[in-house]
Amino acid sequence: MAQNLTQALGRNFLGSAPNWYKLTILAFLVLNPILIHTVGPFVTGWVLIGEFIFTLAMALKCYPLPAGGLLAIQAVVIGLTSTETVYKESLANFEVILLLIFMVAGIYFMKDFLQFAFTRILTKVRSKIVISLLFSFAGAFLSAFLDALTVTAVIIAVAYGFYNVYHRFASGKTMHCDHDLCSDKIVKDTQREELQQFRGFLRNLMMHGAVGTALGGVCTIVGEPQNLLIGAEMGWHFMPFFFKVVPVSMPVLAVGLLTCLTVEKFKLFGYGVEMPGNIRSHLLETANKMEKERGVRGRAKLVIQAAIGIWLIIALAFHLAAVGVIGLSVIVLATALNGFIDEHQIGPAFEEALPFTALLVVFFAIVGVIHDQHLFAPVMDFVLAMEGHAQLAAYYIANGVLSMISDNVFVATVYISETKMHFEEMLHALPGIGMTGEALMAKLTDPDVPRADVLATLPQAVAVQAETLMQQFEKLAVSINTGTNIPSIATPNGQAAFLFLLTSTLAPVIRLSYGRMVMLALPYTVTMSLTGLAATYYFL
C-alpha cells in the first residue's frame, strides 16, 4: 500500500514530464539549502538563477510555472528573498499584470475579425512573396497595438482550420467525423505529395507571421510585456515610447521585411514553398462557403469588432487610460455589442493569459533574489563602467544573448530594475539635490510632470549633470528593450509567441519541430540582430 502510494506521488509530481526532468528539479530543491549553508547566499542565488533558466529552456517538457514556482517558494523559505519583496515587485508592475489579464482577453473577442483578415490574405492573393510580406507586415502592425500571443493564436487558427479542411478532403473524410490530422496513413496517394508541399507552405507563413509579431512588438509599449515594464520604469506612455525606440525599431523593421522578401525569392533556409493550385482552389471554395454561412448577423459582428479595433488604437495612441483598463473597455464593448452574455462564453478569453501572468509573478520572485542578494552588482558595474556607445552596444548584446536562452521578459525585468537602481545611486551622489536619488528619479520619470520643471528646481550645474545621466539612462532602456525583443527570435525559449506556436496543436501537423523552427528563424536572427546592434551603436 505504501509502495503504491509512493509510486502515485512520483507519477503525480510534475505530471507527464520526463523522469529525468523530475529528478533534476528534485535535485535542485535538495541542493539549494545545502549550498546556502556551505557557500553562502550569493553563490546560491546564482545557482538558483541557473536552475530557473533551465526551467524556461525546458518549457516544452514542462511549463515553467510549476517547477519555477517551486524554486521561487524555496527561495523565500531559505531566506534568499522575502514575501514583502515579491509583493513590492508585483505591485510596481501592476500595470503589466493588468495588461496581460485584460488586454489579451479583450483581443480574444476580436478574433473573428482578425481571422477574417488573414483568411482573405491567404485565399485572395496568389503570389507567395506578396502573401509572405502581408503576413509579416500584418503580424507586425497588429502586434504593435495588440498582444503578440493573440495575433499568433489567430494566425495559427486560420492555418489549422485550412489544414484541417484539406487533410480531411485528402483522406476522404468529412468535417463531422473523428480524424487524426497528424497521421497520413489514409491520405490518398494522389494528394500525398501536395499535402507535404502544403505543410511546407504553412510552415513558411507561420514563421513569417511569428517574426512579424516581433518586428511590431518592439515598436510600442503594448507590443510585448517587457515593453510595458520598461515604459513604466521610465515614465513613457504610448507615443513617447514609440519615438524613443524608432532609431532602432524602424531599421530593424525594414531589414526584417527585406529578409522575408529575400528568403522567399531565392528559396533559402527552407522558404519559398508554393501552395499547390488544387489546394488553393479547394480552400477558396471553403472560404466562400464560410462567408455565406456567416450571414448578416456574423457580418454585423465583424463591423463591431473593426470599430472596437479603431477605438483601441485611438485609446492607446492618446493614452486615454492605463493599458489594462483600455483592454477591459474592449471586453465590455465586445461582449455587450456582440451578445456574449453567458459566463461560459466569457471565461475562455482569460485562459491564454493567466498562466503567463502567474509565471510573471514568479519572475518577480527571482528578481527579488537578484535585488536582495545584489547578484548582478559585479556584472552591472563592469557594463556601466563603459561609456557612450560602447556601453549601449554591450547592453544590447548582453540582453540579446540572455534572451536567446532564457525568457526575454525575465531578462528585461532584471536589467531595467538593476539599471534604474544604479542611476538612482548616481543621482543621489549629486551635491545639493535636496532629496534622495530615488525621490529625484521618481520626479524625473513622472510622465505628468515636465522634466524641465524638475531640473529647474536644482542648482544649474547639478541640473546639467542630472540631465546627462537621464539621457544615458533612456538610451540604455532602449538598448534593453531592443536587445530583449530582437535577438530573442533565435529560439522559442526567448519569444513567448514562438513558444506558443511550437506548443500549439498546429506544430505537429505541419511538422514544425524545435530544430526546424530555429533553422527557419536563423536568417531573421542574423540580419535583424546585426541591424539592431548597428542602429543601437550609431543612431542612439
Side-chain angles (χ1 to χ4, degrees):
M1 180 66 180
Q3 185 177 5
N4 291 336
L5 180 60
T6 302
Q7 291 176 345
L9 290 172
R11 292 194 197 98
N12 288 342
F13 179 67
L14 298 180
S16 60
N19 287 331
W20 64 263
Y21 181 88
K22 296 180 180 183
L23 291 173
T24 302
I25 298 300
L26 285 173
F28 290 163
L29 295 172
V30 171
L31 177 65
N32 293 336
I34 297 173
L35 288 177
I36 201 167
H37 287 101
T38 54
V39 296
F42 186 85
V43 174
T44 307
W46 272 109
V47 171
L48 182 78
I49 291 176
E51 294 167 352
F52 187 72
I53 290 175
F54 169 83
T55 67
L56 296 175
M58 293 291 108
L60 295 180
K61 304 296 182 185
C62 174
Y63 190 70
L65 177 61
L70 287 175
L71 293 172
I73 291 173
Q74 186 183 60
V76 173
V77 172
I78 63 179
L80 289 176
T81 188
S82 65
T83 54
E84 290 80 8
T85 300
V86 177
Y87 177 75
K88 182 180 177 182
E89 292 290 339
S90 302
L91 190 61
N93 295 287
F94 183 64
E95 193 171 357
V96 181
I97 294 172
L98 281 181
L99 164 74
L100 289 172
I101 295 173
F102 293 127
M103 184 62 80
V104 176
I107 305 308
Y108 175 89
F109 294 105
M110 296 174 62
K111 278 186 176 180
D112 289 344
F113 175 75
L114 297 173
Q115 287 180 358
F116 170 78
F118 279 105
T119 298
R120 282 298 180 95
I121 293 173
L122 191 58
T123 58
K124 299 296 184 182
V125 180
R126 289 188 170 275
S127 169
K128 172 66 184 309
I129 293 177
V130 175
I131 290 177
S132 300
L133 285 171
L134 286 173
F135 257 68
S136 187
F137 182 78
F141 179 80
L142 291 171
S143 293
F145 295 98
L146 312 179
D147 172 72
L149 274 179
T150 306
V151 175
T152 305
V154 169
I155 301 173
I156 290 171
V158 172
Y160 188 87
F162 280 123
Y163 183 86
N164 183 28
V165 168
Y166 186 75
H167 198 277
R168 287 175 180 273
F169 170 77
S171 304
K173 298 289 185 179
T174 67
M175 296 297 293
H176 305 291
C177 61
D178 292 334
H179 183 57
D180 182 6
L181 293 181
C182 293
S183 175
D184 293 346
K185 291 180 180 179
I186 59 174
V187 173
K188 302 171 189 174
D189 292 337
T190 53
Q191 268 94 33
R192 196 174 293 273
E193 186 175 340
E194 286 186 345
L195 185 63
Q196 295 293 342
Q197 190 174 341
F198 188 42
R199 284 190 179 120
F201 173 83
L202 290 178
R203 284 197 298 269
N204 290 177
L205 290 191
M206 290 303 100
M207 288 304 297
H208 290 316
V211 171
T213 64
L215 288 171
V218 69
C219 296
T220 68
I221 196 168
V222 295
E224 294 283 352
Q226 71 266 30
N227 298 14
L228 194 56
L229 283 166
I230 294 168
E233 294 286 358
M234 302 305 299
W236 295 338
H237 290 323
F238 190 89
M239 295 308 294
F241 185 100
F242 175 79
F243 287 117
K244 291 290 184 183
V245 301
V246 154
V248 181
S249 62
M250 288 301 108
V252 170
L253 175 61
V255 169
L257 294 175
L258 185 61
T259 303
C260 175
L261 175 66
T262 303
V263 295
E264 283 295 336
K265 185 173 180 61
F266 297 103
K267 303 184 186 302
L268 304 173
F269 296 92
Y271 288 102
V273 182
E274 298 284 347
M275 178 161 62
N278 292 340
I279 296 181
R280 181 183 298 280
S281 301
H282 185 71
L283 295 185
L284 182 58
E285 182 181 330
T286 302
N288 291 335
K289 183 179 178 182
M290 290 168 58
E291 181 73 20
K292 291 178 181 177
E293 291 176 350
R294 183 175 283 117
V296 177
R297 189 174 179 184
R299 287 192 288 273
K301 286 185 176 182
L302 294 181
V303 172
I304 291 295
Q305 290 176 22
I308 293 173
I310 295 171
W311 149 251
L312 176 62
I313 292 172
I314 293 172
L316 290 172
F318 291 96
H319 193 71
L320 300 182
V323 176
V325 176
I326 294 172
L328 180 59
S329 74
V330 170
I331 295 174
V332 173
L333 292 172
T335 53
L337 299 177
N338 279 336
F340 294 99
I341 60 172
D342 192 295
E343 181 182 357
H344 299 293
Q345 292 176 298
I346 298 173
F350 294 89
E351 290 177 0
E352 289 180 8
L354 287 182
F356 187 75
T357 305
L359 181 59
L360 188 66
V361 177
V362 173
F363 287 166
F364 296 149
I366 304 301
V367 172
V369 173
I370 293 170
H371 284 176
D372 290 349
Q373 304 305 325
H374 308 288
L375 300 184
F376 273 32
V379 179
M380 298 298 296
D381 289 343
F382 174 76
V383 176
L384 289 168
M386 299 179 178
E387 295 181 358
H389 296 295
Q391 188 182 57
L392 300 180
Y395 253 66
Y396 178 90
I397 293 170
N399 280 272
V401 171
L402 286 174
S403 294
M404 288 180 184
I405 59 175
S406 180
D407 182 274
N408 54 9
V409 180
F410 171 65
V411 175
T413 302
V414 171
Y415 262 84
I416 191 62
S417 57
E418 289 291 318
T419 303
K420 188 172 185 178
M421 288 174 61
H422 173 82
F423 275 86
E424 286 173 351
E425 292 172 1
M426 294 183 74
L427 288 173
H428 188 72
L430 295 177
I433 62 173
M435 64 188 87
T436 65
E438 185 177 356
L440 180 56
M441 176 65 79
K443 290 186 176 183
L444 291 170
T445 55
D446 188 340
D448 300 319
V449 179
R451 182 175 295 174
D453 292 351
V454 178
L455 293 173
T457 64
L458 302 175
Q460 186 175 1
V462 175
V464 172
Q465 290 178 282
E467 175 64 12
T468 302
L469 287 174
M470 290 306 296
Q471 287 177 356
Q472 184 67 6
F473 181 34
E474 288 183 342
K475 291 177 180 179
L476 289 174
V478 174
S479 299
I480 294 169
N481 176 67
T482 52
T484 53
N485 272 294
I486 299 167
S488 59
I489 65 171
T491 69
N493 302 336
Q495 280 280 350
F498 279 45
L499 186 61
F500 186 64
L501 172 59
L502 187 63
T503 55
S504 69
T505 53
L506 177 68
V509 302
I510 64 172
R511 310 299 192 258
L512 183 61
S513 63
Y514 187 101
R516 184 171 267 167
M517 180 175 275
V518 171
M519 181 56 65
L520 288 169
L522 182 60
Y524 282 111
T525 303
V526 173
T527 58
M528 289 166 54
S529 297
L530 292 178
T531 302
L533 177 60
T536 299
Y537 189 85
Y538 290 108
F539 298 155
L540 284 182

